[in-house]
Amino acid sequence: MPVQVFIAGVNGYLGWTLAQHLSRQGHAIGGADALLRRVWVDEMGSVSAIPIASVDERLAAFGERFGESLRFFALDLRDHAALCAALAHFKPDGVVHLAECPSAPYSMIDFQHADFVQRNNVSGTLSLLFAMRDHCPEAHLVKLGTMGEYGTPNLDIPEGFFEVEYRGRRDRLPFPRQAGSWYHCVASDDRRAAGSGNPHQQVQLSGLPQGTGVVCRY
């Protein structure tokens, strides 16, 4: 059954591929992107390993290939009013959150970069949660994460929570994070914002930590 899918970070290397894949399955695709990845690459004096067309060229090619347009919103998730307007207009059944800075080295350059990654990733997620609560509360959110926030413990990492006994008492607690960069510290904060704060927002949410293929429901 075709559904409406909104991809935050739709112009990224994951978002754009996902948009094409879902469109081939017959789903209606919309998405938002602030085009920051291109800015970061230019800032570092680097280039993409694979040539990337402009967003206008991509959108035109998408319409030609699939016979229908991708509803694109040029916005930053931290622009809460613009995000709310986009979700209210598109009315998604599902939302995929890929709109974060994913680079540990970038976050470690200096204070300005560490601060940017903190604000971009955590505030963007909070904005999306509240916008979904207010404008598409029935939609399901799928959020990409990273296993790097756990570090490299010398035991198996459970699916989110684990049973612990200490001084004769037992409890079920989140598995400890041992982040090795500011980006991974931010990822831990971001996961707490989405997981611990989410019951108050009443948004259906599944987290997908990279590198495991395991989906965790909060």
Side-chain angles (χ1 to χ4, degrees):
M1 174 179 162
V3 296
Q4 301 256 110
V5 182
F6 185 93
I7 303 173
V10 70
N11 190 51
Y13 66 96
L14 293 179
W16 190 248
T17 302
L18 179 62
Q20 295 176 75
H21 172 74
L22 292 177
S23 185
R24 289 191 191 96
Q25 308 304 311
H27 304 299
I29 309 301
D33 205 296
L35 309 182
L36 292 177
R37 175 60 69 87
R38 299 164 190 264
V39 174
W40 302 331
V41 171
D42 289 342
E43 178 191 354
M44 294 296 102
S46 185
V47 295
S48 172
I50 300 173
I52 300 175
S54 71
V55 67
D56 291 334
E57 291 173 313
R58 279 185 153 189
L59 292 172
F62 188 96
E64 182 178 341
R65 171 65 178 82
F66 297 106
E68 58 180 42
S69 63
L70 185 156
R71 185 69 178 91
F72 179 71
F73 301 87
L75 61 86
D76 190 313
L77 294 191
R78 294 171 296 168
D79 185 343
H80 190 65
L83 177 60
C84 287
L87 292 180
H89 176 82
F90 188 70
K91 299 179 175 60
D93 300 298
V95 176
V96 182
H97 183 10
L98 304 172
E100 296 190 347
C101 177
S103 174
Y106 188 85
S107 75
M108 299 292 282
I109 293 174
D110 54 26
F111 164 74
Q112 285 76 18
H113 288 82
D115 181 57
F116 167 77
V117 172
Q118 172 80 32
R119 290 183 288 107
N120 182 78
N121 291 9
V122 177
S123 295
T125 295
L126 289 175
S127 178
L128 182 58
L129 285 169
F130 278 98
M132 289 183 65
R133 183 199 67 176
D134 295 339
H135 298 284
C136 53
E138 299 303 317
H140 191 106
L141 173 62
V142 176
K143 185 186 180 306
L144 192 67
T146 170
M147 292 300 294
E149 64 188 76
Y150 292 107
T152 55
N154 189 34
L155 71 163
D156 293 338
I157 299 173
E159 189 173 337
F161 292 80
F162 75 129
E163 299 289 337
V164 59
E165 181 174 346
Y166 182 67
R167 293 183 176 177
R169 303 177 70 177
R170 297 182 62 85
D171 205 343
R172 183 172 181 266
L173 301 174
F175 193 78
R177 270 63 166 176
Q178 301 180 75
S181 73
W182 286 119
Y183 161 68
H184 291 106
C185 289
V186 170
S188 298
D189 293 341
D190 188 38
R191 180 85 71 91
R192 281 191 287 269
S196 300
N198 179 53
H200 305 293
Q201 318 310 334
Q202 300 175 339
V203 173
Q204 302 176 74
L205 169 64
S206 295
L208 181 59
Q210 294 182 51
T212 64
V214 176
V215 175
C216 306
R217 287 186 181 272
Y218 300 113

